[in-house]
Amino acid sequence: MAARIPEEKISELRQSVDIVDVISEYVQLKKQGRNYFGLCPFHGENTPSFSVAPEKQIFHCFGCGAGGNVFNFLMDVEGISFQEAASIVADKGGIPIQIEQSDRNRNDDYPLEHQRMIDAHELLGKLYHHLLLNTKEGAGALDYLLSRGFTTEGIRKFKIGYSLPEWDMAVKYLTKRGFMEEELENAGLIIKRESNDGFFDRFRNRIMFPLLDSKGRVIAFSARSLDSEDSPKYLNTPETPIFNKSSLLYNYNGARSEIRRQGYAVLFEGFADVTSADQANVKNGVAVMGTSFTKEHIQMLRRLTDTIILCFDSDQAGIEASNRAGSLLVDQGLEVKAAMLPKGLDPDDYIRKYGPEKFRTDVVGNALVWTAFKLHYYRFGKNLQNEGDKLKYIEEVMNELSKLTNPIERDLYTRQIAEEFSLSLEVLESQQKKLVQAEGKKQPKQTGGFIQAPPKKKKVVAAHLTAERLLLARMIRDEEAAYRIMAMLENQPFHYDEHQAIITYLLGYYAAGNHPDPLLFLDHLPDKQLRAIVTEIEMIAVDSEDTEQELKDCVNYVLNHSKMLMIKEKQLEQREAERSNNVKKALEIAQEIIDLRKSLSM
């Protein structure tokens, strides 16, 4: 894994950055004691179980078990190779390093067929972009975009392009560059003719919006028709091995740094809203791609911020979508606001009608807190002059307010409802108290922006498991102790296969002439599960001055556990012999059990 970069350079790279600073770019961390904690970026959770230890320069999630050093974190969170992670660390630490271009641009674990699909999209995206900006054929499409408020700078930023009306332009262009028609079909770029006589382009005479993955690579297209008779209005790449709408946010790569800088993201319904908002200098916008908002999307956003402003259309479908997305975000412990638009307008319409500044100040800058939006949501479609609708609205609002953890906020809205509908505040407060008590029995507590789950029962950790991990901790940090412990074990393997595998890698690490260095050893472990165990072990506070007797005690626990397992097996054999009336065999086994018990280390 790390053989292409000298060990001395790896150590230099690691020491050039602080793991807390690096992980803070992806996870909202809060200091608690010596360590920092946050919500794990590798699995969904409401209670922060992700820990970063600055003194040891490692991270560990007590929920899913993920762990390692700064390289492992970047590899896992970005889905990149070790060499790519090292390159990122080198850039952050200002350390010069030379890595082959192929290593920097490709994931060593990425299937070749998928990489070729990406290469084909990248090539075609560049061609479409060139056709739009630099050819007579693209002049009409360029004029259309400019008339819609796009600037040349914006077109270049989003790599917008134009596909010619020709039926086989992409087919010819890409096959001449070595791509097979079948792989281009699998990539969603071309379509097989019904007659089975060749292929034709999926996208023709359309404005092309490239869809990028989290690394900024083109993996799909969304194409807008120029001719009103050419339907559908938007034609998207179908789901492919490299493109999944449920795990992609438009402009995520482009907005990442701006989201971190401003401390929040603006979530739109479609990519056209994102590009329009960017023209209005709202550059921290992202959008779902014609699919429902998912927990995968939340995981992506949570790496950058814990505050989301929703800016969806003002029609009923948009309000419903805002409620669904916002409720999901709130359930995951994020702070949510809703930017409201006048009825009948989407973000692009509003910007064109009222201008960029009013969009920034009156819409995004004046976003409703989530409770205020919910009150607006419950009003939608109701006639509050009708007694039935009015009672239903008040009931829905009171149920919503009972979920609030801030009593001041709850009291504020309760008083507003009492005043608006001329109701008795005492009656509402009495009803509210009952609802709050009922809600409190089923809802986890929320503190400091995180949802605090009910306390879990502590697991009872087996003594031999603790003993094995304490021994591994000493062996990883002390080469001499590693060989002394192996001698004390007398070739008896550890009970847990994962622990034994770590020992095998550790002895190979030492045999290669490496000195004790837990962070460097992590780079030599090829398996995520083993890295997670080593990281968890490193989180254990081990006294470096353990006495020889304490080591012997741990070794005895390991040795005794194996003998205890053997005793249990012998006891089963003894009972079987007794059931078979084989008295002689039963007595022999009984003696073996006595001898085993006598041999237990004290």
Side-chain angles (χ1 to χ4, degrees):
M1 175 184 300
R4 299 183 189 178
I5 305 175
E7 305 290 4
E8 306 79 37
K9 178 61 72 172
I10 293 174
S11 296
E12 182 185 3
L13 290 173
R14 192 189 308 113
Q15 293 170 17
S16 70
V17 297
D18 185 343
I19 193 171
V20 174
D21 293 337
V22 175
I23 293 181
S24 292
E25 296 182 14
Y26 299 84
V27 180
Q28 303 290 308
L29 296 176
K30 297 181 180 180
K31 191 171 185 181
Q32 296 179 19
R34 290 186 174 183
N35 294 344
Y36 291 79
F37 287 85
L39 297 171
C40 181
F42 304 116
H43 80 288
E45 63 175 7
N46 294 328
T47 305
S49 60
F50 182 84
S51 176
V52 184
E55 294 179 2
K56 299 178 180 180
Q57 290 293 295
I58 57 176
F59 74 94
H60 179 72
C61 177
F62 295 96
C64 68
N69 57 28
V70 66
F71 300 117
N72 306 134
F73 177 82
L74 289 170
M75 290 164 65
D76 292 342
V77 80
E78 293 283 6
I80 57 179
S81 67
F82 179 86
Q83 284 72 25
E84 289 175 300
S87 177
I88 292 173
V89 172
D91 290 341
K92 293 180 182 297
I95 304 295
I97 184 173
Q98 289 187 346
I99 297 178
E100 294 179 13
Q101 193 67 22
S102 58
D103 288 330
R104 294 185 64 124
N105 292 339
R106 295 173 182 261
N107 188 334
D108 292 344
D109 299 325
Y110 214 60
L112 178 59
E113 60 179 308
H114 294 181
Q115 183 60 55
R116 284 182 59 80
M117 288 183 182
I118 292 174
D119 291 344
H121 277 86
E122 289 277 348
L123 278 172
L124 198 54
K126 290 176 181 177
L127 175 61
Y128 288 150
H129 188 57
H130 169 75
L131 290 171
L132 176 67
L133 288 178
N134 304 304
T135 67
K136 293 180 180 179
E137 292 86 344
L142 180 59
D143 288 342
Y144 171 81
L145 286 172
L146 295 176
S147 70
R148 293 285 299 180
F150 280 86
T151 64
T152 304
E153 179 186 359
I155 291 171
R156 288 199 170 97
K157 176 178 179 178
F158 289 100
K159 303 179 181 179
I160 301 170
Y162 169 68
S163 57
L164 297 177
E166 299 175 13
W167 283 84
D168 57 358
M169 184 273 293
V171 175
K172 292 178 179 177
Y173 180 75
L174 292 173
T175 52
K176 284 182 180 179
R177 282 154 181 78
F179 292 94
M180 304 296 292
E181 291 174 333
E182 289 74 15
E183 63 182 341
L184 296 177
E185 180 186 21
N186 292 334
L189 294 173
I190 63 175
I191 302 172
K192 193 174 187 64
R193 297 182 186 275
E194 292 184 4
S195 63
N196 288 328
D197 182 22
F199 294 82
F200 62 91
D201 295 356
R202 180 178 297 276
F203 306 110
R204 302 178 307 280
N205 193 32
R206 288 176 176 266
I207 295 173
M208 305 299 296
F209 292 86
L211 307 182
L212 314 182
D213 65 8
S214 60
K215 298 181 190 176
R217 302 174 302 188
V218 183
I219 57 172
F221 293 99
S222 185
R224 190 194 191 287
S225 63
L226 284 170
D227 188 339
S228 59
E229 296 182 359
D230 191 3
S231 63
K233 181 178 179 181
Y234 285 100
L235 178 63
N236 297 327
T237 298
E239 297 268 319
T240 70
I242 61 172
F243 174 53
N244 184 328
K245 290 186 290 187
S246 297
S247 58
L248 182 140
L249 285 170
Y250 183 75
N251 196 40
Y252 180 82
N253 179 264
R256 190 184 335 226
S257 60
E258 194 67 20
I259 291 172
R260 292 196 186 108
R261 189 181 71 81
Q262 297 199 38
Y264 69 93
V266 182
L267 180 64
F268 294 97
E269 281 189 271
F271 68 87
D273 296 331
V274 172
T275 56
S276 296
D278 187 83
Q279 301 288 311
N281 206 33
V282 177
K283 299 184 180 299
N284 53 336
V286 295
V288 292
M289 287 304 307
T291 184
S292 298
F293 192 60
T294 67
K295 288 187 177 181
E296 290 179 273
H297 294 139
I298 294 177
Q299 286 292 93
M300 296 173 68
L301 290 171
R302 178 177 270 161
R303 295 172 188 171
L304 308 178
T305 182
D306 54 12
T307 303
I308 309 296
I309 294 180
L310 305 174
C311 190
F312 288 7
D313 293 355
S314 58
D315 57 11
Q316 183 171 356
I319 296 293
E320 291 290 351
S322 293
N323 183 59
R324 286 193 300 270
S327 298
L328 192 57
L329 286 160
V330 170
D331 288 344
Q332 294 296 313
L334 280 79
E335 180 183 352
V336 183
K337 297 181 180 181
M340 305 303 294
L341 291 159
K343 190 173 182 179
L345 297 182
D346 61 23
D348 181 51
D349 295 330
Y350 185 94
I351 293 168
R352 289 170 59 80
K353 185 173 182 178
Y354 296 106
E357 185 175 353
K358 285 186 70 68
F359 179 73
R360 292 194 303 271
T361 57
D362 295 0
V363 178
V364 177
N366 198 32
L368 299 177
V369 298
W370 184 242
T371 304
F373 167 79
K374 291 294 288 188
L375 268 61
H376 175 83
Y377 169 73
Y378 289 128
R379 284 178 184 271
F380 204 83
K382 290 186 176 69
N383 177 11
L384 296 186
Q385 301 305 313
N386 177 280
E387 289 298 320
D389 281 2
K390 184 190 298 184
L391 288 173
K392 184 177 182 182
Y393 170 74
I394 294 171
E395 180 184 358
E396 289 173 335
V397 169
M398 295 301 287
N399 282 324
E400 186 68 30
L401 297 183
S402 70
K403 300 175 185 178
L404 297 176
T405 57
N406 186 332
I408 297 175
E409 185 181 9
R410 188 166 57 237
D411 181 68
L412 171 67
Y413 289 110
T414 302
R415 289 178 182 275
Q416 286 184 9
I417 295 298
E419 182 177 347
E420 180 179 0
F421 296 101
S422 300
L423 298 172
S424 167
L425 180 61
E426 289 74 18
V427 171
L428 286 181
E429 287 177 335
S430 175
Q431 177 67 11
Q432 188 65 254
K433 186 176 181 180
K434 294 177 183 178
L435 292 170
V436 170
Q437 289 173 346
E439 187 67 26
K441 292 179 181 179
K442 62 182 180 179
Q443 290 291 333
K445 296 179 181 179
Q446 185 166 345
T447 58
F450 295 121
I451 295 177
Q452 183 178 346
K456 297 179 182 178
K457 293 182 178 179
K458 290 186 177 180
K459 294 181 180 179
V460 178
V461 181
H464 68 281
L465 171 62
T466 301
E468 288 188 5
R469 294 210 165 183
L470 287 172
L471 290 174
L472 279 172
R474 285 300 308 277
M475 296 171 77
I476 291 169
R477 301 173 191 180
D478 187 336
E479 182 177 2
E480 182 183 347
Y483 290 109
R484 188 166 74 253
I485 290 169
M486 291 300 297
M488 294 166 69
L489 286 169
E490 299 176 349
N491 295 322
Q492 173 66 46
F494 277 2
H495 176 71
Y496 294 92
D497 293 340
E498 295 87 351
H499 293 174
Q500 191 60 38
I502 290 170
I503 288 178
T504 302
Y505 283 112
L506 181 63
L507 296 179
Y509 170 82
Y510 286 142
N514 296 301
H515 298 294
D517 184 341
L519 294 177
L520 187 59
F521 177 54
L522 281 170
D523 295 330
H524 285 257
L525 291 173
D527 184 80
K528 276 188 180 181
Q529 184 180 3
L530 299 185
R531 288 200 299 268
I533 293 172
V534 170
T535 308
E536 187 175 356
I537 289 171
E538 278 301 299
M539 288 286 188
I540 301 172
V542 178
D543 187 354
S544 59
E545 301 299 326
D546 283 343
T547 64
E548 193 71 16
Q549 184 58 48
E550 287 169 328
L551 285 180
K552 287 181 180 178
D553 290 342
C554 288
V555 169
N556 286 340
Y557 270 116
V558 176
L559 296 174
N560 287 345
H561 182 70
S562 298
K563 292 176 182 178
M564 289 299 297
L565 291 177
M566 193 177 298
I567 288 172
K568 289 182 180 179
E569 290 179 5
K570 291 295 181 182
Q571 288 173 332
L572 291 174
E573 292 178 14
Q574 183 184 24
R575 285 195 287 271
E576 182 62 32
E578 290 171 347
R579 280 195 292 269
S580 303
N581 293 320
N582 191 336
V583 178
K584 181 179 178 182
K585 185 174 182 180
L587 290 173
E588 289 175 352
I589 295 173
Q591 185 59 50
E592 291 177 4
I593 292 174
I594 292 171
D595 292 340
L596 280 170
R597 283 177 172 158
K598 286 181 179 179
S599 69
L600 289 174
S601 304
M602 301 298 292

